[in-house]
Amino acid sequence: MNVSTFCSVFVRDCCECKLLVACQQFRTRDCKKIYAFLSCQSQPIIEASTGMHFGCYQCYYSQLQSQFDSAQLNVFDNNWDNVHDFTPLVEETNWSLIRAPVKLDQYLSLPSELPYSSVQLSYSSDVSVVPLTSGERPDKRLDQERCLLVIDTLVDRDRVRDLIQKLSLQGLMLVRMKVLRLDCDTDRTLFVTPDAATWQQIIALDVCGIYAATVVQRQLGDDVGVKYVSCDSNQGKRDVETIFNLSNFNMT
């Protein structure tokens, strides 16, 4: 099933389903063995559910971006991996992140019958409207250097995708991304740059890889749309933890 909506998606009393969902909020109750590939602007929530598997939304067809716009969903604001379980177990977990790399066509079949086959839908991460993120997970690759990249929300969407593609070609991995509104002076002082006092809304990207900060600075540091890049690995780790903890606080 493929759904895009600004409203909440509530899945209840379902078993062995595979979902591709873009929404404001995603919730499940009394579900088992669900594979959900999400673009979700708040924390996904599960309750009394087991065997839940989550992955990043990956999809493209020509009308999809305009549908995101109509639903007031930002393709750069995705919390698919930040799952909250209302009914956790003591010695095991009810949910997991699907091991990367993920090929959605292994889980969801492309439509083969009219009128849906004429949409020319693709699950390729190379063309997906929503950028692919790995999610914060136990993974040796995530033990490598982290870097916070901040981009102005006024930058054209295609330009943001080009910047992300540049980093991917350099072997860096996009772990998480979030659109943040900075509502007070305290939020702005989190950034080690005087320009932060003028920021209203930003796109924050958690980037991971060997010499991540150095590579990002070399590749994107002079781009006019880039507001901030962590200066080194130590600062990058602090930046990422601070900003995404702020993001989690704002969602509670």
Side-chain angles (χ1 to χ4, degrees):
M1 182 175 70
N2 185 354
V3 176
S4 298
T5 176
F6 179 70
C7 302
S8 298
V9 171
F10 192 8
V11 182
R12 188 164 187 171
D13 296 318
C14 291
C15 181
E16 298 185 357
C17 296
K18 298 172 183 177
L19 312 173
L20 180 65
V21 179
C23 60
Q24 175 66 27
Q25 183 185 61
F26 179 83
R27 300 191 62 168
T28 71
R29 181 180 173 88
D30 299 313
C31 291
K32 296 180 180 179
K33 299 180 181 179
I34 303 292
Y35 286 83
F37 298 91
L38 304 180
S39 176
C40 188
Q41 309 222 271
S42 60
Q43 281 187 283
I45 296 173
I46 65 173
E47 183 176 0
S49 299
T50 60
M52 306 294 294
H53 306 278
F54 293 91
C56 182
Y57 184 103
Q58 293 292 277
C59 188
Y60 173 83
Y61 52 88
S62 59
Q63 303 93 339
L64 184 56
Q65 181 63 70
S66 63
Q67 291 172 354
F68 265 75
D69 294 341
S70 296
Q72 301 178 54
L73 298 175
N74 192 315
V75 297
F76 304 126
D77 198 5
N78 193 0
N79 297 280
W80 69 270
D81 65 316
N82 191 13
V83 179
H84 179 71
D85 187 354
F86 271 133
T87 52
L89 300 176
V90 176
E91 297 183 353
E92 56 184 295
T93 59
N94 292 318
W95 63 274
S96 65
L97 304 184
I98 300 170
R99 184 181 297 274
V102 177
K103 301 291 186 182
L104 258 69
D105 55 11
Q106 296 176 357
Y107 298 88
L108 297 165
S109 300
L110 292 168
S112 57
E113 298 181 0
L114 292 172
Y116 305 107
S117 59
S118 62
V119 172
Q120 296 183 330
L121 183 147
S122 171
Y123 295 143
S124 171
S125 60
D126 294 334
V127 296
S128 175
V129 165
V130 175
L132 176 64
T133 51
S134 71
E136 181 69 20
R137 65 176 77 216
D139 189 318
K140 289 183 178 179
R141 293 176 299 172
L142 299 187
D143 292 335
Q144 297 175 354
E145 186 174 317
R146 303 289 275 270
C147 172
L148 179 70
L149 169 63
V150 175
I151 300 176
D152 195 326
T153 52
L154 296 178
V155 174
D156 179 81
R157 280 188 297 247
D158 290 337
R159 180 61 182 150
V160 176
R161 293 190 180 99
D162 287 342
L163 297 178
I164 294 171
Q165 179 66 14
K166 278 188 177 182
L167 299 181
S168 177
L169 292 174
Q170 294 298 315
L172 299 183
M173 179 168 59
L174 183 57
V175 181
R176 296 171 289 181
M177 63 189 315
K178 178 69 182 174
V179 175
L180 287 174
R181 180 177 295 279
L182 304 180
D183 293 325
C184 64
D185 292 338
T186 302
D187 290 351
R188 298 186 182 98
T189 59
L190 297 173
F191 298 96
V192 190
T193 173
D195 293 341
T198 64
W199 299 352
Q200 299 297 322
Q201 194 174 54
I202 59 170
I203 305 171
L205 291 81
D206 175 4
V207 181
C208 178
I210 299 173
Y211 303 121
T214 301
V215 173
V216 175
Q217 289 169 14
R218 185 177 66 241
Q219 293 293 317
L220 307 181
D222 295 331
D223 192 286
V224 294
V226 172
K227 292 289 190 181
Y228 177 81
V229 178
S230 301
C231 61
D232 56 40
S233 59
N234 292 329
Q235 186 65 47
K237 182 178 181 180
R238 290 193 295 268
D239 286 341
V240 166
E241 289 177 353
T242 299
I243 293 306
F244 284 90
N245 284 341
L246 172 65
S247 171
N248 291 339
F249 176 79
N250 289 340
M251 283 190 290
T252 58

